[in-house]
Amino acid sequence: MTTKYTPLKDHDTPIKVLFTGYLCTVGIGYLFALIQILFTHGMADGKFGLSVDDIVYSYYGNRSGTVLEQKLNGSMKDNAPELERFKIMEWVRDGADSEAYKEDGVDKIIESRCVMCHNKEATGVPDFTNFAALKALSEQDTGATFASLTRISHIHLFGISFIFMFVGLIFSFAETTTTQYKCIAIGMPYAFLVADIMSWWLTKIHPMFAWLVIFAGMGMGVSFMFMWVTSILEMWLFKPVFINGFGSRYLQWRDSPEASVADRVWFYLKVLAKQGKKAAVFAQEQWLTRGWPVVKQWLSKK
């Protein structure tokens, strides 16, 4: 296969070190991002591990209780003893009165357990030194606010798109993947990123879209890992993997004259599109000849 670029295995060693350093750094960052999701969204239902309920509670909310109670039983559960958490929840259920806030000693618990993170200097979290901010959390849990979704959405779109741009740029020098599959792999993360951000907003509106959040996140992860692994293997292990190892079979399959999976999928999609067009034309004819006259006659009687 003739190439118009320098393959990863043929780059100078300093360039390989540069590419590898970046890939390893963002790979570790991606891993920590997944861990962070497990300790935030993954604890929304009070149980460790990411589930559909966690997604629903994070974006749509748990409408059966208040925000403060859900957090104390979920992601904030380990930050205070059970008795102190119960005292705060009892105060919330009694109306979250400002006088009882001090009389019941809730203010002392908040100062010792919460203010270290929830203060004026912290970003992205409520300021518990302001009673009004704490009082607002004693209302029904409706999940993430539209303001917070707007802020998080633009941060993720800008930041993650840059990560995938450089990962995709390095991967574009790969030679074991055909141009067709290379374009798919490079474009997939952006499609899934947009789907992921949109799914947050959709889940905020209706909990049924929580599955889309998980699906889009998995799509980003798979495409990232494919480009990451392929790039590392081609730079440092090309001969033992793709010449003498299991990758040689893949290269034989790639160079086979038979149509690729992507070609077959595209062929069937075009066939379905043609059939769908015929069905649409037929439905339009039926509507104009049979459906619309009946509706028109019914409207004239009214």
Side-chain angles (χ1 to χ4, degrees):
M1 182 173 62
T2 304
T3 57
K4 299 180 180 179
Y5 55 86
T6 303
L8 285 172
K9 66 179 177 59
D10 296 331
H11 275 287
D12 293 335
T13 303
I15 298 297
K16 290 184 181 180
V17 172
L18 174 65
F19 287 170
T20 304
Y22 175 78
L23 290 174
C24 289
T25 302
V26 296
I28 295 171
Y30 206 103
L31 177 62
F32 276 107
L34 295 177
I35 296 174
Q36 190 264 343
I37 290 174
L38 287 176
F39 282 104
T40 52
H41 296 309
M43 288 295 296
D45 60 355
K47 302 175 184 178
F48 185 77
L50 193 63
S51 65
V52 176
D53 288 338
D54 290 317
I55 304 298
V56 172
Y57 293 165
S58 297
Y59 297 107
Y60 181 76
N62 185 348
R63 306 297 172 95
S64 62
T66 64
V67 179
L68 206 55
E69 288 182 83
Q70 300 304 328
K71 290 295 182 181
L72 289 171
N73 286 324
S75 57
M76 298 292 113
K77 187 175 183 178
D78 296 332
N79 292 344
E82 184 176 354
L83 290 176
E84 293 184 357
R85 288 189 292 109
F86 179 75
K87 180 171 285 190
I88 297 174
M89 288 187 283
E90 191 176 32
W91 169 72
V92 171
R93 292 168 185 171
D94 290 338
D97 185 68
S98 57
E99 295 182 359
Y101 179 64
K102 293 184 178 181
E103 292 176 359
D104 296 344
V106 177
D107 59 332
K108 301 297 182 182
I109 300 174
I110 298 296
E111 289 176 8
S112 61
R113 301 291 182 181
C114 309
V115 172
M116 63 182 71
C117 296
H118 294 266
N119 51 57
K120 295 179 180 179
E121 287 73 25
T123 56
V125 294
D127 176 18
F128 283 177
T129 59
N130 181 2
F131 179 79
L134 181 64
K135 173 74 174 179
L137 298 180
S138 64
E139 300 174 358
Q140 185 186 47
D141 180 14
T142 57
T145 63
F146 286 108
S148 65
L149 283 178
T150 302
R151 175 177 54 80
I152 298 172
S153 294
H154 91 268
I155 291 174
H156 277 71
L157 284 170
F158 287 146
I160 298 179
S161 62
F162 271 108
I163 292 175
F164 284 128
M165 183 184 75
F166 290 114
V167 173
L169 179 63
I170 296 171
F171 174 73
S172 66
F173 293 107
E175 63 177 322
T176 58
T177 307
T178 63
T179 301
Q180 187 180 48
Y181 286 116
K182 197 182 292 184
C183 292
I184 294 173
I186 292 174
M188 275 179 59
Y190 295 102
F192 281 117
L193 174 60
V194 173
D196 188 40
I197 301 299
M198 289 180 60
S199 64
W200 299 350
W201 292 83
L202 292 173
T203 305
K204 171 65 178 175
I205 298 171
H206 197 284
M208 66 176 288
F209 292 102
W211 283 104
L212 182 58
V213 178
I214 297 176
F215 175 74
M218 290 176 61
M220 278 196 296
V222 169
S223 55
F224 176 84
M225 285 303 299
F226 175 74
M227 292 190 290
W228 193 95
V229 171
T230 301
S231 300
I232 293 294
L233 290 179
E234 286 201 25
M235 279 191 287
W236 302 107
L237 298 170
F238 186 86
K239 187 174 181 179
V241 173
F242 295 104
I243 302 300
N244 302 324
F246 63 89
S248 60
R249 294 184 180 180
Y250 163 74
L251 295 182
Q252 292 175 1
W253 171 82
R254 182 200 65 184
D255 297 331
S256 172
E258 297 181 2
S260 65
V261 176
D263 291 332
R264 295 173 184 173
V265 171
W266 180 244
F267 171 77
Y268 287 118
L269 286 176
K270 289 193 291 185
V271 172
L272 287 173
K274 290 181 180 179
Q275 297 299 323
K277 186 177 181 180
K278 292 180 181 179
V281 172
F282 176 77
Q284 183 181 16
E285 292 176 353
Q286 294 298 312
W287 165 254
L288 292 176
T289 57
R290 298 184 180 183
W292 175 242
V294 173
V295 174
K296 191 175 179 180
Q297 184 180 5
W298 180 77
L299 290 175
S300 63
K301 292 180 180 181
K302 292 291 183 178

